[in-house]
Amino acid sequence: MLIGQILKELYQIKDEDIEKALHIQKQVGGYIGQILIQLGIITETQLINALSKQLNIPIFNDENISVEEISEKIKDINFLIENNFVPVKIDEKTITLITNDPLKVYVIDYASKKLNRECLVFLAEERKIKEIEKKLLKKDENFAFVLETDIEKLKDMALEAPVVKYLNDLISKAVDLNASDIHFEPSQNYKVRLRIDGVLHDFDILREDFFLAVVSRVKLLSGLDISEKRLPQDGKFFTKMGSSYIDMRVSTVPTVKGEDVVVRILYRGKLGFNLSELGLESDHYKVVNEMIRKPYGILLVTGPTGSGKTTTLYSILSSIKSPETKIITIEDPVEYQIEGLTQIQVKPEIGLTFAHTLRSILRHDPDIIMIGEIRDKETAQIAVQSALTGHLVLSTLHTNDSISSLFRLLDMGVEGYLINASLIGVIAQRIVRVNCPYCSEEIQLEDEILEKYSLNQIYEKFMEIVGKTVFFKGKGCKSCFNTGFKGRTAIFEVFIYDEELKEIFIKTSSLSALKNYLIENTYFRTLREDGLIKVLKGKTTIEEVLRVS
């Protein structure tokens, strides 16, 4: 099969994209796969997978490479490296080469005759090839830049081919790994780190000159002033991977070592915002569905930054939106644009704050209002007034657990009787990583662990939800970046603010009294208990639940 046909079969590449690449190939030459990468239609990983299927050449996964042994046995290594073939193993009978250009058969013939060994060829991404090549040649530079602070020269450097290619490859790799953020950190070393499934991982270390050039390119792409390094800046740009668009939200802050830059990756096409896929157990799902069908009142979603609150709100809105309802959201920023919603981006610099916007949209005849975050007394009071005048209001708060949100509203200046009159319920949540489906193995937990975390008692209490008990743990593989986890789910704490809770809150204003009532009389469970239910079901590990709860 032709490479274009394989790419269509594997990744649903459109015919018009392949025709566009073929047209360019006729004009300037080159491989069709490389042209598709340059157009942003496929990633290098996708091309390597397609080549592997087309040519029946395996992909190199072994990390055990002895650079010293290879350097000793192969003196004339330059010819191989110049042709993008890098030796990774050698013994008495065979030599193993990795490449991303396997059609250069003459290189394989040369290596076989010159070294009097059979050649075993594997495919690898260019980043892997260059990484090993650098070790073999004892190189320690990314690109021969002279350190520059002149703005015009920095602009020129940002347009240099190695910088452009590095950033393109980095974004491609981040997307392949489903990373949510790319961090450029000017610490003691100039680091690049990726946040994968909520956890940061070291990815690369750059020279200072190359780091500055890459950061300058990011700022240019996102419309920021590359000469301004003393103040924080925010910008955005988008790229295309395959048939889907990916938004990049860029934030810079000045540090004592230089500018720290974070690129948030927002996958437009990957998120369906389905309430049933968030990780709600069956009893919690029923309770949440009951709350979101109320005609008016406030429903709060609480948790720290990065705990998935916005995703939960979007999922709720997607679940309840209909042609008969007017839904208006006030956000900072608007991360995802959803069909059927009227979404407003706040701009504090021109006076368009949450409170000001909320006051205005009440005259816009909404049925449902989503406020990105209740940050101050004014916003809280207007949200309560909106709920009391017949609107369903959804919003978020930063609290450690669900019950604390009542006292957070009190701290903001909302009277207790207004909280009782307007609040429907609260959802608290955290994000945990899910065991990798490719490398997870069933394990047995010791009795001490079962007793320490009361797993037997939790199983007895929530037997209907858990079903069959099984424990899994990932070993770590290429697919999960050697973490043992791939993908994420949420753990929840949910309660409906019923009449008994309202009475306890007004009479005692006691967090412990409210919690005791919930535990003794309702479906309520803590975030940790909900996480341990997912441990009992084999979805995650105890260590992961303890990390966030």
Side-chain angles (χ1 to χ4, degrees), residues 310-329:
T310 303
T311 300
T312 298
L313 287 177
Y314 281 156
S315 298
I316 290 171
L317 291 176
S318 296
S319 174
I320 60 178
K321 71 176 182 178
S322 71
E324 293 81 31
T325 57
K326 172 94 171 183
I327 301 175
I328 300 180
T329 75

Side-chain angles (χ1 to χ4, degrees), residues 40-43 168 171-172 175 239-246:
I41 293 164
I42 62 170
T43 66
N168 289 346
I171 292 172
S172 173
V175 170
T239 186
K240 190 181 178 190
M241 293 283 175
S243 57
S244 60
Y245 288 94
I246 296 169

Side-chain angles (χ1 to χ4, degrees), residues 503-520:
E503 191 172 338
I504 294 168
F505 179 59
I506 290 294
K507 282 184 177 179
T508 68
S509 292
S510 167
L511 187 96
S512 58
L514 289 164
K515 192 169 186 176
N516 289 338
Y517 168 79
L518 281 167
I519 290 171
E520 290 170 11

Side-chain angles (χ1 to χ4, degrees), residues 135 222 491:
K135 292 176 183 176
S222 48
I491 58 174

Side-chain angles (χ1 to χ4, degrees), residues 96-115:
T96 302
L97 303 170
I98 61 171
T99 185
N100 61 355
D101 189 2
L103 300 178
K104 291 181 178 176
V105 182
Y106 62 90
V107 180
I108 301 168
D109 290 340
Y110 167 84
S112 180
K113 290 173 184 175
K114 183 83 174 174
L115 299 167

Side-chain angles (χ1 to χ4, degrees), residues 12 18 26 63 66 78 81 144 156 167 187 189 216 231 275 359 363 384 409 414 429 442 470 523 535:
Q12 292 76 53
I18 292 172
K26 286 177 184 175
E63 298 295 329
S66 175
N78 288 337
I81 288 176
D156 292 340
L167 185 60
S187 53
N189 294 314
S216 295
L231 296 171
L275 192 60
R359 197 180 293 109
R363 297 189 290 272
V384 168
L409 290 173
V414 181
Q429 66 181 79
E442 190 172 343
V470 61
Y523 46 79
V535 172

Side-chain angles (χ1 to χ4, degrees), residues 28-39:
V28 298
Y31 293 135
I32 189 77
Q34 291 298 330
I35 294 169
L36 287 167
I37 289 175
Q38 290 164 11
L39 290 172

